[in-house]
């Protein structure tokens, strides 16, 4: 393994992969702040070449601002490779498969990883999402976000390099519903069946050909998006059904694949998040299965809109959980959220939150006050 990978500023992704957004934008990864280029205007090969400056920064020991999200996630575990950051995840998953000397030039690149989000096609309209990542939101707001107009060149590039891939991340939208994933997985199964596949899913649809294909791979990591339970689940993940989610979770649990829970922490689950974690723990899921992080947007749902008294109570709840020393990614997550709660400057506007919820309730003919009774009692 190259010693560069051990440097705290260094990430393998600029040399080995990229992420594609539903609007055609290309970034190093989903955590990156900056878009390198757009597939609607240029080829993936040209976009990869344009990424040389960030490679040069890393080679010179600099910390690119675009990558600040990972550096922030790691600050509580500076010497621990078990951090939840994407930087360290890819260091573990991709580095063993690179060619010697790859990191010696900012002009080098060899495809080993791809994170592809072909479209915004999704069957849910999660409270914190929007039209760019959800076709349900698109229909609800009657907005037309920019989309990938021509993905044939991207497909050609990936298919020509299908055997070089060692890590694939499928997200969306909802990846179980994207026809492009079916063709992509069929080719992977034929040409590269040992590839590691991570799929970020709302787990609402398993009766698809895409799900059946995923079940045939040995190395699959299911990253399940879930933040709450029962009525709260069905409000936050609008159009989702809690019981269906549980039944589908049981199906993938029997596959003996790796399972993680990707949990956003925000205003609507500011207290219930702990019971949700405890529920899945009671079902036998390990503390290394939980990845929690604060929701940044939309601003109206950001946890920091809550009154300072309640935020202090929330911080105390995280301290209490940290004191239990759960270890693994769960503890790392709690530490990161606590830092966010106690160290972040934010211009709170709880009235905008009320307006946001009222507007969404009216469009969807639901009543958030009957679901989040404690929140309304404490705040509104």
């Amino acid at each position: 393994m190259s010693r560069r990978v051990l440097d705290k500023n260094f990430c393998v992704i600029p040399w080995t992969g990229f992420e594609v957004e539903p609007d055609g934008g290309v970034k190093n990864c989903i955590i990156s702040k900056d878009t390198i280029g757009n597939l609607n205007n240029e080829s993936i090969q040209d976009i990869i070449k344009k990424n040389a400056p960030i490679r040069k920064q890393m080679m010179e020991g600099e910390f690119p601002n675009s990558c600040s999200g990972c550096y922030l996630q790691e600050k509580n575990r500076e010497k621990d490779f078990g951090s939840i950051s994407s930087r360290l995840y890819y260091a573990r998953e991709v580095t063993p498969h690179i060619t010697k000397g790859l990191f010696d030039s900012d002009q080098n690149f060899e495809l080993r990883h791809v994170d592809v989000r072909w479209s915004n096609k999704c069957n849910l309209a999660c409270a914190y999402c929007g039209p760019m990542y959800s076709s349900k939101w698109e229909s609800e707001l009657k907005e037309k976000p920019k989309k990938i107009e021509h993905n044939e060149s991207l497909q050609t590039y990936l298919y020509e390099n299908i055997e070089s891939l060692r890590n694939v991340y499928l997200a969306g939208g909802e990846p179980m519903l994207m026809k492009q994933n079916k063709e992509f997985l069929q080719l992977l199964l034929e040409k590269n069946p040992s590839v590691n596949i991570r799929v970020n899913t709302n787990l609402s649809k398993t009766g698809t050909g895409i799900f059946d294909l995923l079940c045939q791979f040995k190395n699959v990591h299911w990253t399940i998006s879930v933040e709450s339970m029962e009525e709260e689940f069905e409000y936050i993940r609008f159009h989702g059904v809690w019981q269906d989610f549980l039944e589908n979770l049981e199906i993938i649990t029997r596959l003996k694949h790796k399972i993680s829970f990707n949990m956003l922490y925000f205003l609507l689950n500011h207290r219930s998040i702990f019971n949700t974690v405890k529920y899945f723990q009671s079902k036998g899921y390990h503390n290394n299965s939980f990845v929690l992080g604060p929701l940044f947007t939309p601003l109206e749902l950001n946890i920091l809109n809550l009154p300072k008294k309640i935020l202090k109570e929330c911080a105390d709840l995280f301290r209490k959980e940290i004191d239990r020393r759960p270890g693994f990614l769960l503890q790392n997550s709690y530490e990161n959220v606590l830092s966010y709660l106690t160290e972040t400057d934010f211009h709170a506007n709880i009235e905008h939150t009320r307006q946001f919820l009222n507007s969404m309730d009216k469009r969807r003919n639901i009543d958030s006050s009957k679901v989040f009774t404690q929140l309304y009692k404490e705040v509104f």
Side-chain angles (χ1 to χ4, degrees), residues 95-186:
T95 305
H97 307 289
I98 63 169
T99 300
K100 184 178 180 180
L102 178 66
F103 304 139
D104 292 347
S105 170
D106 60 22
Q107 300 301 311
N108 289 345
F109 183 87
E110 57 184 29
L111 185 66
R112 293 292 180 268
H113 162 78
V114 67
D115 173 350
V116 59
R117 301 154 195 247
W118 301 102
S119 74
N120 70 339
K121 188 172 181 62
C122 188
N123 57 322
L124 303 187
C126 298
Y128 51 75
C129 197
M132 180 174 173
Y133 294 103
S134 167
S135 53
K136 279 291 187 181
W137 262 102
E138 179 183 338
S139 298
E140 182 177 316
L141 295 182
K142 296 179 174 57
E143 292 184 7
K144 288 287 185 181
K146 187 177 180 181
K147 299 180 181 180
I148 303 176
E149 296 173 3
H150 305 289
N151 59 36
E152 294 85 357
S153 62
L154 173 62
Q155 287 178 311
T156 299
Y157 177 78
L158 292 180
Y159 294 177
E160 288 177 348
N161 294 279
I162 198 83
E163 294 181 28
S164 71
L165 287 168
R166 292 296 175 265
N167 196 76
V168 170
Y169 188 18
L170 303 179
E174 172 47 49
M176 300 285 193
L177 301 177
M178 296 178 190
K179 62 181 182 180
Q180 296 92 341
N181 281 337
K182 187 171 184 179
E183 185 177 334
F184 188 29
L185 288 170
Q186 285 172 333

Side-chain angles (χ1 to χ4, degrees), residues 58 103 117 119 131 158 184 209 216 232 248 264 277-278 284 286 312 315 317 357:
M58 290 183 176
F103 304 139
R117 301 154 195 247
S119 74
L158 292 180
F184 188 29
Q216 297 180 58
E232 286 192 11
N248 292 335
L264 288 170
V277 170
K278 288 179 172 60
H286 192 272
K312 182 182 182 304
L317 289 172
L357 292 173

Side-chain angles (χ1 to χ4, degrees), residues 265-274 292 302-322 334-335 337-342 374-375 378-379:
Y265 180 65
F266 58 111
L267 190 140
L268 295 181
N269 65 347
H270 69 292
R271 296 187 189 277
S272 62
I273 188 76
F274 302 103
L292 284 74
N302 191 297
I303 187 70
L304 297 177
N305 283 296
L306 290 174
K308 290 184 178 180
K309 178 179 179 294
I310 298 177
L311 288 176
K312 182 182 182 304
E313 292 172 0
C314 291
D316 288 342
L317 289 172
F318 277 98
R319 291 189 184 96
K320 182 178 179 181
E321 293 300 322
I322 291 169
Y334 284 160
E335 292 165 348
V337 174
L338 179 61
S339 292
Y340 184 75
L341 286 173
T342 57
Q374 186 174 6
L375 173 67
E378 290 180 324
V379 179

Side-chain angles (χ1 to χ4, degrees), residues 163-337:
E163 294 181 28
S164 71
L165 287 168
R166 292 296 175 265
N167 196 76
V168 170
Y169 188 18
L170 303 179
E174 172 47 49
M176 300 285 193
L177 301 177
M178 296 178 190
K179 62 181 182 180
Q180 296 92 341
N181 281 337
K182 187 171 184 179
E183 185 177 334
F184 188 29
L185 288 170
Q186 285 172 333
L187 191 59
L188 278 170
L189 193 60
E190 176 187 344
K191 302 286 188 179
N192 192 357
S194 63
V195 67
N196 290 319
I197 299 176
R198 184 159 61 127
V199 54
N200 192 327
T201 173
N202 60 39
L203 206 58
S204 61
K205 293 289 184 181
T206 58
T208 69
I210 295 168
F211 177 81
D212 293 338
L213 281 167
L214 285 166
C215 291
Q216 297 180 58
F217 287 88
K218 181 180 179 181
N219 303 313
V220 180
H221 180 180
W222 297 87
T223 302
I224 312 301
S225 298
V226 58
E227 298 87 10
S228 197
M229 300 185 295
E230 299 174 338
E231 280 188 310
E232 286 192 11
F233 173 94
E234 294 182 357
Y235 182 95
I236 292 171
R237 306 201 144 261
F238 189 55
H239 299 299
V241 178
W242 173 245
Q243 192 57 43
D244 289 349
F245 173 86
L246 292 181
E247 291 174 2
N248 292 335
L249 180 59
E250 178 61 28
I251 291 173
I252 65 167
T253 300
R254 292 197 295 266
L255 296 173
K256 305 301 181 183
H257 288 161
K258 183 177 180 180
I259 296 175
S260 295
F261 298 102
N262 185 35
M263 312 176 83
L264 288 170
Y265 180 65
F266 58 111
L267 190 140
L268 295 181
N269 65 347
H270 69 292
R271 296 187 189 277
S272 62
I273 188 76
F274 302 103
N275 286 335
T276 305
V277 170
K278 288 179 172 60
Y279 173 80
F280 290 120
Q281 286 173 323
S282 74
K283 297 297 182 181
Y285 294 99
H286 192 272
N287 286 352
N288 220 29
S289 301
F290 300 94
V291 176
L292 284 74
L295 174 76
F296 301 124
T297 57
L299 295 177
E300 293 87 349
L301 294 181
N302 191 297
I303 187 70
L304 297 177
N305 283 296
L306 290 174
K308 290 184 178 180
K309 178 179 179 294
I310 298 177
L311 288 176
K312 182 182 182 304
E313 292 172 0
C314 291
D316 288 342
L317 289 172
F318 277 98
R319 291 189 184 96
K320 182 178 179 181
E321 293 300 322
I322 291 169
D323 287 344
R324 298 180 190 275
R325 308 301 299 172
F328 304 98
L329 295 183
L330 181 58
Q331 180 160 337
N332 188 200
S333 297
Y334 284 160
E335 292 165 348
N336 288 340
V337 174

